Amino acid sequence: MTQKKQQYDAGSITALEGLEAVRLRPGMYIGSTDTKGLHHLVWEVIDNSIDEHLAGHASRVDMVIYENGHLSVTDDGRGIPTGMHEKLKKSALEVVMTVLHAGGKFDKDSYKVSGGLHGVGVSCVNALSDYLRAEVHREGKIFVQEYSVGKPTTEVVEIGATERTGTTIEFHPDPTIFDTTDFKFDVLAARLKELSYLNSGLLLTLTDEREKDEEGKPRYEEFFSEGGLKEFVEHLDEGRTPIIESPIHVKGKEENVEVEVAMQYNTSFQEHIYSFVNNINTREGGTHVNGFRRAVNREFQKYAEERGFFKKLKFKVSGEDFREGLTSVVAVKVPEPQFKGQTKGELGNSEVTGVVSRIVGSALKNYLEENPKDVKRIIDKVILAATARHAARKARELVQRKNVLTGSGLPGKLSDCASKDASISELYLVEGDSAGGTAKQGRDRHFQAILPLRGKILNVEKAMEHKIYENEEIKNMFTALGVRIVEEEGERVLSTENLRYHKIIIMTDADVDGSHITTLILTFFFRYMLRLIEEGYIYIAQPPLYQVKKGKQFKYCWNDDEMRNAIKEVAGKGNESTVKVQRYKGLGEMNAEQLWDTTMNPEHRILKQVTIEDAVAADLIFSKLMGDEVAPRRKFIEENATYANVDI
Ligand code: 0RA
């Protein structure tokens, strides 16, 4: 007995050293300890269940958030093996849960994720949880083991009989490690939805016991897709008008690399490619995306040229033209993926380019031959795109050349700041000339510049590109910011080398029109200057909604709660009725001093930084709000009424 115990301890020591490192430097393993890192734990746990599905053994995954803040993931796979691990003299279950990088699978055929942030293993989750419980249904028996901060607190015990197989991991994140331990329903639901498209046939469910309806039923959602990526593309294009009957769907496998692609052409002018490797979003693309683009360009070019469709054009049709208005999802499964790039969001495996290009190429060839009507519509659109791009380039060159020629080249409407140091300089984009005037008086001219925009700026979601460069407000934004669009290897990129301000602040009225204008400006940044959002340069100013005033005393309030409190404070208890409340509907109702105090003074103002937390979600919102289809826009505005009804 004593000997056995010693062995147990000796075995645990190496394991604990590994997991101790995880607790010491959690950021190295899960990215961060904020809400993003917290949810990373969940992705890590579901990844294992998804792997069971990919190996052909699991058909559903159920996630539950409990009232006490625990979260569990249950699958109906084979169950983690519980037998003795020969070398370590411990249950395999304990090895998987307590040894760093032991992983789940011992077989080489599975598509495990190496590099990137996923794939650090469920033992990391264990190390970062103050409580974890693993329950395995296997070979007719139920086995359970519990842990705390990565260490077993019980042996593996058999607690009963069962007719099913599968694994449940229930855990509670360690609050001494994480800034927050509050799981977000929407974040989890968005990922489960995405996973359902990426793994057709797999049922995923989410139950939130923290939120109950009148009958006491917890909040519950199911995610299931029969059509997989085809349905994913249809979902992404909900707000757009398709031009071909149904998405083109390609599936194939070569040399252990599985490829699935779905693509749809719509009447918009943008290209949207969402790409995944082993279910993980590769935001920066990579070799799989290159292979896809190569195939699309090659097959369409060949098809159109063989039939003489481009004979009359006086300019070359470029790769971009074949992909205008194209929404696609490219998903590959690669046994040993290598991730590159700043955020490890780019696939590096060079062999994947050829595989994707061949599989997509041969499927497209067939499609082109078998669907002449749809293809005709696509080719017409390509020709239109090429023509428009030709016109746009001329318009853009004209605008950009003018800047260089006319000295400072700055727009007449810009009230520039004195500082030439971009890192401290701010540009306020202000709705209307009158608010612009107030802002100009109120600002600190040393570092704050003002550019008034006239009314509603052009809706770039609906406009052709060359129209954009003809638009006065948009031209002014380009020149004031000092950015240019340049072509590199046939692709357009935003050059921010000469960016003149590191804070670009959208300041509009706190009413429906104001938020519409903010959305229009954001759509412009999203489509044409995405880099500025990605690099964190775009902000939204938050003017106050009320001023509560009595005599010489006053307070600014940003919401109704603050306003009610301020009334009590300013008027004194029992004196509420004699107080004056001013509701600000427009920036114009504030004088220069008030605007400085509340909205522009860096010491008091509230700025909301615009981030792209989830490009897929953001994009969906933009196309719904700005696209052709009215119904999804109305639905979105209704569902997000708080966004639209600041105007009481
Ligand atoms: C190791 C080997 C096998 C399955 C698993 C691990 C496994 C791990 C997890 C984690 C969550 N759910 C899971 N389901 C299975 C294969 C076992 C066999 O060959 O029967």
Side-chain angles (χ1 to χ4, degrees):
M1 187 66 205
T2 337
Q3 212 190 343
K4 202 169 173 192
K5 184 152 194 303
Q6 264 172 5
Q7 240 173 22
Y8 183 90
D9 287 341
S12 328
I13 288 170
T14 41
L16 289 183
E17 272 172 6
L19 292 189
E20 213 41 64
V22 178
R23 288 182 62 80
L24 235 46
R25 290 196 177 73
M28 269 188 50
Y29 295 85
I30 54 159
S32 60
T33 53
D34 55 10
T35 181
K36 206 165 169 182
L38 175 79
H39 289 87
H40 202 100
L41 299 180
V42 186
W43 313 150
E44 210 52 64
V45 174
I46 334 185
D47 273 359
N48 292 291
S49 299
I50 301 277
D51 281 349
E52 267 305 273
H53 168 73
L54 292 177
H57 302 288
S59 64
R60 67 181 291 159
V61 177
D62 299 281
M63 186 182 292
V64 183
I65 316 167
Y66 299 93
E67 270 174 297
N68 62 4
H70 289 211
L71 183 144
S72 76
V73 175
T74 299
D75 65 58
D76 62 352
R78 289 166 295 181
I80 302 177
T82 51
M84 258 318 183
H85 191 281
E86 289 295 323
K87 267 199 224 132
L88 297 176
K89 302 272 185 287
K90 295 197 260 203
S91 159
L93 173 62
E94 186 171 324
V95 175
V96 168
M97 299 310 303
T98 60
V99 179
L100 197 57
H101 297 301
K105 296 296 185 316
F106 307 110
D107 52 306
K108 270 256 164 82
D109 288 338
S110 61
Y111 298 107
K112 280 262 96 185
V113 181
S114 69
L117 282 173
H118 290 239
V120 289
V122 71
S123 61
C124 274
V125 179
N126 198 8
L128 301 176
S129 298
D130 58 6
Y131 173 82
L132 188 141
R133 179 179 185 274
E135 177 175 316
V136 173
H137 290 233
R138 208 178 145 92
E139 290 152 11
K141 298 181 183 127
I142 305 172
F143 303 91
V144 172
Q145 187 170 34
E146 291 180 325
Y147 317 82
S148 180
V149 298
K151 302 171 201 171
T153 55
T154 71
E155 302 275 340
V156 176
V157 285
E158 203 186 303
I159 61 160
T162 179
E163 294 196 333
R164 61 174 189 91
T165 63
T167 306
T168 299
I169 304 288
E170 177 185 332
F171 69 100
H172 182 265
D174 187 342
T176 66
I177 300 265
F178 292 94
D179 311 339
T180 167
T181 56
D182 186 26
F183 293 112
K184 295 267 183 278
F185 187 93
D186 292 339
V187 172
L188 298 171
R191 174 65 177 156
L192 294 186
K193 188 178 178 102
E194 186 174 272
L195 282 170
S196 73
Y197 289 124
L198 291 166
N199 301 279
S200 62
L202 176 67
L203 173 66
L204 300 127
T205 74
L206 178 58
T207 304
D208 190 346
E209 297 195 339
R210 302 169 306 183
E211 258 187 86
K212 304 219 164 91
D213 65 13
E214 298 101 40
E215 294 164 35
K217 277 217 206 86
R219 185 170 180 193
Y220 175 79
E221 255 180 77
E222 275 184 7
F223 308 92
F224 181 82
S225 168
E226 189 71 57
L229 296 195
K230 183 167 170 288
E231 284 175 19
F232 199 172
V233 163
E234 283 167 346
H235 166 66
L236 291 169
D237 262 2
E238 252 165 49
R240 307 190 182 101
T241 313
I243 68 167
I244 56 173
E245 197 126 318
S246 75
I248 306 170
H249 197 180
V250 180
K251 275 187 191 184
K253 186 175 176 173
E254 196 184 292
E255 299 167 26
N256 267 331
V257 177
E258 269 181 49
V259 179
E260 188 181 351
V261 168
M263 48 197 277
Q264 169 65 283
Y265 279 93
N266 59 61
T267 57
S268 83
F269 308 112
Q270 285 82 35
E271 176 191 11
H272 303 270
I273 298 191
Y274 300 98
S275 64
F276 297 84
V277 175
N278 300 356
N279 288 322
I280 295 172
N281 190 197
T282 34
R283 291 208 182 153
E284 298 165 62
T287 51
H288 52 332
V289 173
N290 297 344
F292 168 73
R293 287 191 167 139
R294 196 181 284 182
V296 172
N297 298 351
R298 182 185 63 231
E299 296 305 325
F300 274 104
Q301 189 91 48
K302 217 162 48 186
Y303 179 90
E305 270 179 6
E306 277 168 13
R307 286 161 183 76
F309 287 135
F310 296 158
K311 258 197 331 236
K312 289 195 195 130
L313 300 183
K314 293 195 178 64
F315 39 83
K316 256 190 81 181
V317 177
S318 82
E320 261 186 280
D321 301 325
F322 290 107
R323 304 190 309 266
E324 189 179 288
L326 174 63
T327 299
S328 38
V329 181
V330 177
V332 295
K333 304 235 160 71
V334 181
E336 279 177 57
Q338 303 300 319
F339 291 100
K340 306 192 307 184
Q342 261 187 344
T343 57
K344 296 263 177 232
E346 180 186 347
L347 181 67
N349 303 49
S350 57
E351 74 279 9
V352 175
T353 304
V355 175
V356 177
S357 167
R358 279 189 294 276
I359 290 174
V360 175
S362 82
L364 268 185
K365 210 191 203 94
N366 291 337
Y367 180 87
L368 293 172
E369 260 149 39
E370 290 163 11
N371 300 275
K373 267 198 201 139
D374 277 345
V375 174
K376 177 75 174 53
R377 277 198 290 270
I378 297 173
I379 298 286
D380 283 348
K381 181 168 170 61
V382 171
I383 292 173
L384 197 67
T387 314
R389 204 173 54 87
H390 185 68
R393 179 192 285 144
K394 281 184 162 168
R396 192 172 67 226
E397 280 170 358
L398 208 66
V399 172
Q400 300 192 152
R401 188 153 350 113
K402 235 194 220 155
N403 296 345
V404 183
L405 294 179
T406 55
S408 87
L410 293 173
K413 277 190 161 193
L414 174 75
S415 305
D416 204 8
C417 55
S419 166
K420 294 283 167 261
D421 177 0
S423 71
I424 62 155
S425 300
E426 305 179 345
L427 176 67
Y428 276 83
L429 300 171
V430 187
E431 164 188 359
D433 287 329
S434 93
T438 316
K440 192 178 161 184
Q441 286 170 25
R443 68 174 172 156
D444 180 336
R445 68 176 302 278
H446 176 61
F447 67 99
Q448 293 180 319
I450 310 292
L451 181 66
L453 298 175
R454 183 171 19 95
K456 306 228 157 138
I457 77 156
L458 188 72
N459 180 353
V460 299
E461 171 82 18
K462 283 189 176 165
M464 300 260 283
E465 194 187 342
H466 69 275
K467 286 277 175 213
I468 286 165
Y469 302 108
E470 289 166 13
N471 180 274
E472 207 56 42
E473 316 304 314
I474 287 179
K475 272 200 286 198
N476 285 346
M477 280 199 269
F478 267 101
T479 45
L481 290 170
V483 296
R484 312 162 59 85
I485 291 179
V486 292
E487 292 199 26
E488 279 177 14
E489 297 167 22
E491 304 284 333
R492 283 164 295 175
V493 293
L494 188 75
S495 151
T496 55
E497 230 175 295
N498 300 316
L499 179 66
R500 305 179 63 250
Y501 314 93
H502 282 189
K503 280 203 173 69
I504 299 149
I505 302 163
I506 303 168
M507 187 161 75
T508 61
D509 290 343
D511 60 10
V512 173
D513 272 353
S515 58
H516 190 204
I517 291 165
T518 299
T519 312
L520 285 166
I521 299 175
L522 281 180
T523 310
F524 166 70
F525 282 123
F526 186 74
R527 298 294 187 209
Y528 288 90
M529 298 190 180
L530 184 63
R531 245 181 100 175
L532 297 185
I533 300 183
E534 286 174 339
E535 292 176 15
Y537 294 133
I538 310 291
Y539 296 82
I540 299 174
Q542 309 281 301
L545 291 181
Y546 305 100
Q547 186 198 54
V548 176
K549 192 173 173 188
K550 191 198 177 193
K552 280 193 178 150
Q553 245 195 320
F554 60 86
K555 246 187 140 136
Y556 296 106
C557 309
W558 274 261
N559 58 46
D560 288 3
D561 275 350
E562 281 181 10
M563 185 256 289
R564 278 187 283 271
N565 287 335
I567 291 176
K568 284 187 199 142
E569 232 176 87
V570 173
K573 271 216 160 46
N575 224 352
E576 281 86 347
S577 58
T578 58
V579 239
K580 193 170 174 256
V581 177
Q582 188 186 350
R583 162 85 171 93
Y584 292 120
K585 283 198 175 170
L587 299 167
E589 293 172 27
M590 277 184 266
N591 63 34
E593 195 186 336
Q594 288 170 326
L595 193 62
W596 163 256
D597 282 344
T598 59
T599 317
M600 298 180 76
N601 179 353
E603 284 179 28
H604 301 299
R605 72 184 175 191
I606 301 174
L607 289 185
K608 213 162 78 187
Q609 190 174 33
V610 178
T611 61
I612 302 208
E613 240 333 284
D614 186 342
V616 177
D619 183 61
L620 204 62
I621 291 169
F622 279 112
S623 58
K624 274 188 186 172
L625 278 178
M626 295 301 182
D628 298 336
E629 310 269 314
V630 179
R633 176 161 56 237
R634 178 167 311 141
K635 185 159 169 268
F636 177 86
I637 291 175
E638 279 165 12
E639 284 170 359
N640 295 273
T642 47
Y643 177 79
N645 81 6
V646 267
D647 189 24
I648 310 165

